[in-house]
Amino acid sequence: MGRSSLLCLAFGLRFFFFFRDQILEMFDHAYGSYMKYAYPADELMPLSCRGRVRGLEPNRGDVDDSLGKFSLTLIDTLDTLVLLNKFDEFEEAVKKTMRDVRLDNDVVVSVFETNIRVLGGLLGAHVMADHLRQRGDRMQWYRDELLHMAKDLGYRLLPAFNTTSGLPYPRVNLRYGVLNPLSRTGTESDTCTACAGTMILEFAALSRLSGDSVFEDHARKAMDVLWEKRQRGSDLVGTVINIHNGDWVRRDSGVVVHLVYFNHYIAIMKYISQPPLLLSVHMHNPTVSVRSWMDSLLAFFPGLQVLRGDLKPAIETHEMLYQVTKQHKFLPEAFTTEFRVHWGQHPLRPEFAESTYFLYKATGDPYYLKVGQSIVEKLNAHTRVPCGFAAVQDVRTGTHEDRMDSFFLAEMFKYLYLLFSEKSQLPFDIDDYVFTTEAHLLPVSLSTTRPPCLGNHTEDDLFTYSCPSTQTLFPNNPSFAKSIRDGYKYLTGVGRAHHTLPVRVKLVAEVTQSPEEEEEVVPHIVQLISPPFLGRTVLTAGPAKFGMDLTRQEHGVSQTVSEPYSACGPILNPEALQGHVAVALRGDCMFAAKARRLQEAGAVGVIFIDHREGSSSAETPLFQMVGDGATTDDITVPLVFLFSQEGAVLTSALQEHSNVDVLLLPKERQMGRDRPEKLNIRLRLTKKEQEEEEEGKDASTFQLLLEPGDGMIDERTPPADHCAASEEVRQP
Ligand code: DMJ
């Protein structure tokens, strides 16, 4: 080995050790804070430095259904302690669990959350305790107490399956079950698909470890019902199902549905995956996307794709997610297809770290260590507080929320620690275990099914190389992952994108807004100038980086709404658009594509209106629309963007008055602001109209005269004393 290789190796090892130590220190801070300030409560409130006890804190709705007064965070953390080689702490924590935790609580809990966090936590911890016991140096006193607790909990969850269909109720009372009059639950009629279909992992493990098949039988039946209810044409399932008759309540289908049978996977790849995006579709009409935003939970999917051996889309989607974290620091709970924040909360979710770990395992590409490093650094820099780590209330402001969910300890630290650990540094062979939904570790040997790598592949099997192997997937091409990632480098608009993406749905950043960007966004306006607005209604607008440069010339004409409103298909009302400014809804396709189509149809400008309900320029920073990565020189009409509240002012004006004349121009050139005389518009009824009016006819025409005078222009809503000019206006 040459000197430079040795230096690289030494540097690499130091890099590894440094981050592993840092992760251990962070874990100690998080777990130590929970034990010190919160235990035996379910969760830590890291800002108040105390435990969250259900009933004593303001009710947060569904999210509180995870809290069963069973020291949730302690149980969820048990097997993490073993993985992190904290055996003393594990032994102590198991003893505390046995001594303090009660399951017979009169509390209504979520069946799904209790299954993945508590049942899964107890099973994972039992497997670890058993492993240590068998090694012979620890836990010799252990008598399967955790497995007994798991079985007890399993029996407490079973009443949920007491429905005609076999699909479980979403909630259960730990003491009274579902149908007991004291249970305070059992009125629900539907549940989420993942809630019904993913119980099988923990329930089957419980049956196989305890020897009692009742758990597996019930969970399998629920899974079979979902399979029966799948849409046969697409092989997709909806997201919410009626537990009594098995009818779909919500037919949108997305990857947050954790049911990924082979056929479902194929269907997801066919309809939902549009690398790098994953877009929910309608299960019966799967070529139609049902929303234009993605939620952060989908970040687990690249990891699952790695396990499926389907690396390319995994790399693409993960890279897209990484770009989003670069723009917003963390994955917001929901973000649009244009990578803007749809819902800004970030409750320290682990899915992105999870996928990063699996991609590193599959590719060995140090790039993923860098991604891990950025996760660690951002957690420390932006979420660490004196009593733990606090969720982010809004990634746009960085404000904290007083919560540290148990999955932060159960999952985040496992995946980060594994990412920076050599196999030999782990207390067991990690490849002998599967990760549950909550990252609890169950032995692969519990499975009676054939190992996936030995399956027979049919010609239809698109993913012949199950189980990732860098050798078979990209032989002699160590930069395979990089070559895929490079196509997504500027996806979110941080940096520049001047290339076409090799993806089914072409998508690059359409907006620029982030602080990293070099250009300032010049505020524009849409000024309504025809009667009765007379320039007093001024709507703040965002400019476009392509199309007519409005800083050089302004544009004024009346407008018409495009058909279809999204302007993503053939334009159906070209006659109406001729010579008018078109109004079109944002979403479904690129701004540039809409503009091109409307220009071709004869529109002389386009006002885009945001599709996110309630958005406004008062609350959302303005951005600049950019092109689609290809040349936009052919687009010559002026383009501006209105948030939906401002858009609503415009569309209701259009509804009331068939033609509304507008000016599109930079805000600093607003008509009448500095030069009021220029917009002192007086309306005179023509002589003809006066005559007709006298005859009782309503056939008003207007004559607009610009006169020097004392008229003043207000923004949006004029005060009453500025109505003088409009008093002369008659509605047509
Ligand atoms: C975890 O509790 C589980 O991974 C669940 O399936 C999804 N949500 C959280 C983590 O975000």
Side-chain angles (χ1 to χ4, degrees):
M1 191 181 281
R3 189 180 142 75
S4 63
S5 313
L6 273 173
L7 277 174
C8 269
L9 182 67
F11 176 77
L13 284 176
R14 275 187 46 201
F15 180 83
F16 253 60
F17 289 146
F18 175 77
F19 280 101
R20 236 164 54 95
D21 286 351
Q22 192 166 1
I23 291 158
L24 286 173
E25 187 280 326
M26 289 163 70
F27 173 83
D28 288 344
H29 179 61
Y31 180 64
S33 296
Y34 166 73
M35 292 308 286
K36 180 169 176 190
Y37 301 110
Y39 182 79
D42 282 317
E43 278 180 358
L44 169 69
M45 295 170 70
L47 302 181
S48 328
C49 301
R50 64 168 195 271
R52 181 182 297 283
V53 178
R54 201 164 161 189
L56 297 186
E57 301 296 331
N59 189 333
R60 298 177 302 169
D62 288 356
V63 79
D64 280 344
D65 289 345
S66 302
L67 313 178
K69 301 192 174 172
F70 36 33
S71 303
L72 171 67
T73 302
L74 177 73
I75 296 177
D76 223 3
T77 310
L78 289 172
D79 58 2
T80 308
L81 290 167
V82 179
L83 182 76
L84 271 51
N85 294 292
K86 293 183 173 289
F87 304 129
D88 289 342
E89 290 87 339
F90 175 69
E91 207 156 341
E92 200 182 318
V94 172
K95 287 181 179 162
K96 282 199 165 79
T97 305
M98 289 160 44
R99 188 191 66 204
D100 300 341
V101 173
R102 293 285 163 275
L103 297 171
D104 182 38
N105 304 323
D106 179 12
V107 183
V108 175
V109 292
S110 153
V111 173
F112 173 80
E113 297 294 348
T114 308
N115 178 55
I116 64 168
R117 301 189 196 204
V118 187
L119 184 57
L122 290 169
L123 291 174
H126 164 70
V127 167
M128 292 295 129
D130 189 43
H131 172 77
L132 294 178
R133 179 174 57 183
Q134 286 187 27
R135 273 190 359 188
D137 51 346
R138 281 182 180 272
M139 303 294 290
Q140 297 303 306
W141 52 267
Y142 180 64
R143 297 286 174 272
D144 295 345
E145 287 88 346
L146 296 171
L147 180 59
H148 299 315
M149 288 179 76
K151 202 168 160 190
D152 179 9
L153 182 60
Y155 282 121
R156 294 178 187 282
L157 295 179
L158 270 183
F161 289 84
N162 196 1
T163 58
T164 332
S165 67
L167 296 165
Y169 279 96
R171 292 182 193 81
V172 71
N173 184 306
L174 286 173
R175 182 179 298 168
Y176 297 113
V178 175
L179 299 177
N180 186 309
L182 297 174
S183 72
R184 303 191 310 282
T185 187
T187 51
E188 302 95 336
S189 58
D190 28 74
T191 194
C192 71
T193 307
C195 304
T198 62
M199 301 288 290
I200 187 69
L201 189 54
E202 289 80 3
F203 267 43
L206 177 58
S207 281
R208 292 171 194 209
L209 286 166
S210 70
D212 187 342
S213 67
V214 66
F215 309 108
E216 185 166 352
D217 292 346
H218 279 84
R220 185 170 297 278
K221 175 157 187 227
M223 195 172 67
D224 290 347
V225 173
L226 292 174
W227 176 245
E228 271 305 301
K229 295 284 177 185
R230 75 191 184 282
Q231 213 283 327
R232 305 288 165 130
S234 65
D235 271 342
L236 293 170
V237 289
T239 52
V240 179
I241 192 162
N242 185 300
I243 53 175
H244 301 300
N245 59 22
D247 287 346
W248 290 107
V249 177
R250 285 188 52 184
R251 290 160 199 269
D252 45 319
S253 192
V255 293
V256 288
V257 176
H258 287 213
L259 269 186
V260 188
Y261 301 95
F262 176 73
N263 287 17
H264 286 319
Y265 184 80
I266 299 281
I268 285 169
M269 293 312 291
K270 191 164 165 193
Y271 298 114
I272 294 172
S273 170
Q274 303 180 24
L277 310 182
L278 291 161
L279 287 174
S280 294
V281 295
H282 193 285
M283 64 184 275
H284 291 297
N285 192 2
T287 53
V288 176
S289 295
V290 289
R291 44 181 105 99
S292 55
W293 48 268
M294 295 168 272
D295 75 57
S296 69
L297 287 170
L298 67 79
F300 85 96
F301 198 64
L304 187 122
Q305 289 181 305
V306 168
L307 296 174
R308 184 73 188 80
D310 203 5
L311 276 185
K312 185 169 181 287
I315 292 165
E316 290 168 334
T317 300
H318 178 275
E319 184 58 21
M320 176 271 286
L321 296 168
Y322 184 39
Q323 298 290 330
V324 176
T325 68
K326 276 185 171 172
Q327 195 173 2
H328 302 297
K329 295 193 181 72
F330 301 98
L331 282 184
E333 278 294 71
F335 51 94
T336 68
T337 49
E338 289 132 3
F339 312 112
R340 304 189 67 224
V341 174
H342 183 72
W343 178 14
Q345 193 187 29
H346 172 74
L348 307 176
R349 288 200 189 279
E351 285 80 0
F352 180 61
E354 175 181 350
S355 286
T356 304
Y357 161 66
F358 283 117
L359 269 166
Y360 179 61
K361 281 269 284 188
T363 62
D365 188 335
Y367 177 82
Y368 295 107
L369 294 176
K370 283 275 176 201
V371 177
Q373 177 184 346
S374 82
I375 298 173
V376 170
E377 287 170 351
K378 283 174 183 161
L379 283 173
N380 259 331
H382 305 291
T383 71
R384 190 176 179 126
V385 292
C387 296
F389 290 83
V392 179
Q393 193 162 42
D394 193 324
V395 296
R396 288 164 291 203
T397 57
T399 42
H400 285 148
E401 209 182 333
D402 203 1
R403 64 186 272 195
M404 185 180 88
D405 288 63
S406 66
F407 51 69
F408 186 56
L409 287 161
E411 300 191 64
M412 182 70 91
F413 287 102
K414 273 200 194 101
Y415 292 120
L416 289 177
Y417 187 78
L418 282 167
L419 180 63
F420 290 100
S421 297
E422 296 287 347
K423 262 187 113 175
S424 59
Q425 293 168 319
L426 302 175
F428 45 79
D429 185 349
I430 193 70
D431 294 334
D432 289 342
Y433 294 83
V434 292
F435 292 88
T436 68
T437 315
E438 187 79 354
H440 293 305
L441 294 160
L442 295 176
V444 176
S445 58
L446 276 181
S447 161
T448 55
T449 52
R450 203 174 36 184
C453 288
L454 302 179
N456 291 327
H457 301 297
T458 66
E459 274 187 28
D460 294 338
D461 185 346
L462 299 175
F463 310 103
T464 312
Y465 299 114
S466 278
C467 292
S469 154
T470 48
Q471 284 312 304
T472 50
L473 281 168
F474 35 95
N476 307 320
N477 184 4
S479 50
F480 172 83
K482 182 173 183 303
S483 65
I484 296 173
R485 284 192 309 264
D486 280 351
Y488 299 90
K489 225 166 165 183
Y490 301 119
L491 197 61
T492 60
V494 179
R496 288 174 193 285
H498 289 301
H499 54 90
T500 311
L501 294 175
V503 293
R504 236 194 300 156
V505 169
K506 194 167 74 165
L507 195 135
V508 293
E510 286 209 285
V511 300
T512 60
Q513 179 189 22
S514 81
E516 287 101 310
E517 285 164 287
E518 68 287 357
E519 281 177 56
E520 210 179 293
V521 176
V522 179
H524 278 53
I525 52 168
V526 174
Q527 188 165 18
L528 280 58
I529 53 167
S530 55
F533 308 101
L534 302 172
R536 290 188 306 256
T537 300
V538 178
L539 308 170
T540 301
K545 218 175 170 180
F546 58 110
M548 183 190 287
D549 183 355
L550 284 166
T551 57
R552 307 227 168 115
Q553 51 203 304
E554 68 216 26
H555 206 83
V557 262
S558 60
Q559 338 133 57
T560 307
V561 175
S562 79
E563 284 175 26
Y565 193 18
S566 69
C568 288
I571 302 300
L572 305 173
N573 60 338
E575 298 82 18
L577 287 174
Q578 282 294 327
H580 289 70
V581 170
V583 178
L585 190 68
R586 181 188 189 185
D588 290 346
C589 65
M590 310 284 290
F591 288 127
K594 293 169 196 264
R596 216 169 258 128
R597 215 168 271 129
L598 291 165
Q599 178 178 289
E600 271 163 27
V604 293
V606 184
I607 299 172
F608 296 106
I609 296 183
D610 199 1
H611 52 351
R612 291 171 314 136
E613 249 177 64
S615 67
S616 74
S617 64
E619 283 170 8
T620 317
L622 272 190
F623 61 81
Q624 169 159 257
M625 296 177 282
V626 297
D628 56 3
T631 177
T632 42
D633 293 350
D634 56 320
I635 302 171
T636 53
V637 296
L639 312 162
V640 293
F641 176 86
L642 293 177
F643 287 108
S644 64
Q645 286 191 21
E646 283 87 354
V649 175
L650 183 72
T651 48
S652 66
L654 265 174
Q655 268 159 17
E656 253 180 81
H657 315 277
S658 48
N659 274 333
V660 178
D661 292 343
V662 289
L663 290 176
L664 313 182
L665 68 172
K667 191 177 176 73
E668 59 175 27
R669 302 218 331 256
Q670 177 184 320
M671 292 288 281
R673 167 179 266 184
D674 306 320
R675 296 161 294 165
E677 77 286 354
K678 200 170 170 203
L679 207 67
N680 182 16
I681 299 173
R682 282 181 188 275
L683 289 175
R684 295 225 178 118
L685 298 179
T686 61
K687 197 161 179 271
K688 183 170 171 272
E689 183 187 32
Q690 285 169 337
E691 281 164 8
E692 283 175 341
E693 213 176 30
E694 277 155 23
E695 291 164 21
K697 290 184 188 159
D698 183 14
S700 315
T701 55
F702 296 112
Q703 187 184 12
L704 263 83
L705 296 179
L706 293 182
E707 291 182 347
D710 55 1
M712 236 347 268
I713 313 301
D714 293 338
E715 291 204 10
R716 301 285 300 272
T717 324
D721 59 351
H722 288 153
C723 289
S726 62
E727 276 169 13
E728 292 179 57
V729 174
R730 302 278 174 93
Q731 299 297 325

